[in-house]
Amino acid sequence: MVREERSSVLFWAVAALVAVALGAGWLLLRNQAPVVMAAFVPTTTSLPPTITLTPTWTPLPTETLPPSETPRPTETPAPTSTPRDPRFHTVEAGETLFGLSLLYRISAESIAQSNDFDINTPIQSGQSLLIPWPTATPPLESVLLEINGEQVLADATNCEIITIQSGDSAYGLSALKGVPLEAIIAINRQTQESIQLIQPGDTLCIPKLLYGDTIPPTAGPSPTPSLTPPPQGPALLYPTDGAVVDTSATVTLQWAAVKDLGSSEWYMVEMRDADDRDSLPRRGFTRDQSFHVPENWRPAVDERRQMEWTVSIIQATGRRSDGGLIYTFGGQSSPPSYFLWQGAVPTPTPRPTTTPSPEPSSD
């Protein structure tokens, strides 16, 4: 009996433990079903999708254009000068190419080139020549001179511009303004010949003169050496200034030498009728200190005329085809001198004489 009771108790104890274990297992499975199933049920791991490279078009970088320049205002072109009508000159007897160059203030080379002939070709009476207009004058520059043994600067920076009026002359302006004639000639790029041919409407610069210590120093580390002035012109002796020459004999001009002439140097004598504003100077050459004036230089009017004459030293560089000298100036011209010369008495033109016709005979 005892064994049966013990067996029964043990049975029921084991059954209770089994029931408790089953209940606990059930509860555990109800709450942790996903975890447990995951532990026992194989799962499929999803692979990540295969990346398919889709070609995409990357736009090329656009070229950045430089900033466009702001258009500048259109410049109005300067008005062009209207070409002037050409000038023509009919050559008269006794005229030379060099004389025409002085008359029109243009170089003899320009006249020869405009007419397509050589400068040494003599011009003929009646020939028509094209005279070109002179080119624009470059800006004036100050000039250092020696006047009466003293250094003088002819200043062109603030010069007085004079417009030539009728009756004006360079000599008169020189005396009126108190400026030596050589300074006016140098500053205006003139010569003793061309300054005599100024006409109304022309302009001259009357420079201011700076003497001695008023001359500004030369800029720079070393001073510029002073210019060596050209030799002075010969001193004119005879005829004396203002003399009256009435004789019909040949006039002999005389002067004093300032230096010994070189082998290629000559004296050039120039003489013109000062009472005729438009007259051109006549020129003669000699190596002596005197010059016999040709008879055809005498004025062709029966009255006293004021004759102006100068002497210059020139450097001969050759000869023209007509025998005349080709030369350059080798120094300054002498101051002009004047004398009165009685003009030639014009020879009357003989009148044609009529031959008397024979009277008819009464027979």
Side-chain angles (χ1 to χ4, degrees):
M1 290 294 291
V2 174
R3 287 182 181 177
E4 290 179 357
E5 289 180 357
R6 290 180 177 176
S7 299
S8 178
V9 172
L10 180 60
F11 173 78
W12 288 108
V14 172
L17 290 174
V18 172
V20 171
L22 291 174
W26 181 81
L27 292 174
L28 181 62
L29 290 174
R30 191 182 65 175
N31 294 332
Q32 300 293 330
V35 177
V36 174
M37 291 301 291
F40 294 97
V41 178
T43 59
T44 58
T45 303
S46 59
L47 296 175
T50 303
I51 300 176
T52 304
L53 296 177
T54 303
T56 58
W57 178 77
T58 303
L60 296 175
T62 58
E63 181 180 358
T64 305
L65 297 176
S68 58
E69 296 182 359
T70 304
R72 298 180 179 178
T74 304
E75 297 182 358
T76 303
T80 57
S81 58
T82 304
R84 306 172 73 175
D85 295 334
R87 298 177 292 178
F88 291 93
H89 179 89
T90 302
V91 179
E92 297 181 359
E95 289 184 332
T96 63
L97 194 61
F98 186 76
L100 293 178
S101 70
L102 294 178
L103 177 63
Y104 290 100
R105 295 185 296 281
I106 194 72
S107 67
E109 291 81 1
S110 299
I111 299 177
Q113 184 177 3
S114 299
N115 292 274
D116 298 326
F117 60 76
D118 188 79
I119 190 174
N120 297 323
T121 303
I123 56 178
Q124 305 295 330
S125 177
Q127 182 178 0
S128 179
L129 296 179
L130 172 64
I131 307 297
W133 291 97
T135 56
T137 304
L140 301 178
E141 297 180 353
S142 300
V143 179
L144 186 64
L145 302 171
E146 183 173 337
I147 300 177
N148 297 327
E150 185 178 5
Q151 291 280 336
V152 178
L153 179 67
D155 187 10
T157 53
N158 295 311
C159 64
E160 181 182 1
I161 302 298
I162 299 295
T163 301
I164 303 302
Q165 306 295 328
S166 178
D168 288 346
S169 67
Y171 306 105
L173 291 175
S174 172
L176 179 64
K177 299 297 182 179
V179 177
L181 181 62
E182 51 263 41
I184 298 178
I185 291 175
I187 206 70
N188 289 277
R189 300 188 182 90
Q190 298 283 342
T191 63
Q192 287 282 353
E193 300 78 25
S194 61
I195 199 69
Q196 301 170 11
L197 302 176
I198 56 175
Q199 300 176 1
D202 293 345
T203 58
L204 285 180
C205 164
I206 308 299
K208 294 182 179 180
L209 302 183
L210 302 178
Y211 294 88
D213 54 0
T214 61
I215 298 177
T218 304
S222 59
T224 303
S226 59
L227 300 177
T228 302
Q232 296 290 332
L236 306 185
L237 301 178
Y238 181 84
T240 58
D241 199 12
V244 178
V245 179
D246 288 330
T247 178
S248 59
T250 301
V251 177
T252 301
L253 308 178
Q254 299 178 6
W255 55 90
V258 293
K259 56 169 286 189
D260 293 333
L261 295 182
S263 58
S264 60
E265 289 182 323
W266 291 68
Y267 289 114
M268 181 176 71
V269 179
E270 296 179 278
M271 194 171 74
R272 60 182 292 268
D273 187 350
D275 291 331
D276 184 1
R277 183 183 180 90
D278 297 328
S279 66
L280 297 175
R282 296 176 179 269
R283 293 179 175 82
F285 301 89
T286 180
R287 289 181 58 85
D288 299 327
Q289 293 172 225
S290 61
F291 179 76
H292 299 292
V293 180
E295 182 62 28
N296 61 350
W297 287 20
R298 181 188 293 271
V301 291
D302 187 14
E303 60 183 33
R304 288 180 179 176
R305 306 289 286 188
Q306 186 179 33
M307 309 304 295
E308 175 188 283
W309 65 291
T310 59
V311 178
S312 309
I313 298 177
I314 57 98
Q315 188 85 22
T317 58
R319 286 189 177 272
R320 302 194 304 263
S321 58
D322 59 357
L325 292 176
I326 301 174
Y327 59 89
T328 60
F329 283 92
Q332 299 182 16
S333 297
S334 65
S337 183
Y338 299 86
F339 67 92
L340 295 174
W341 197 8
Q342 177 64 39
V345 178
T347 304
T349 303
R351 297 180 179 180
T353 58
T354 58
T355 304
S357 58
E359 297 181 358
S361 175
S362 57
D363 295 339

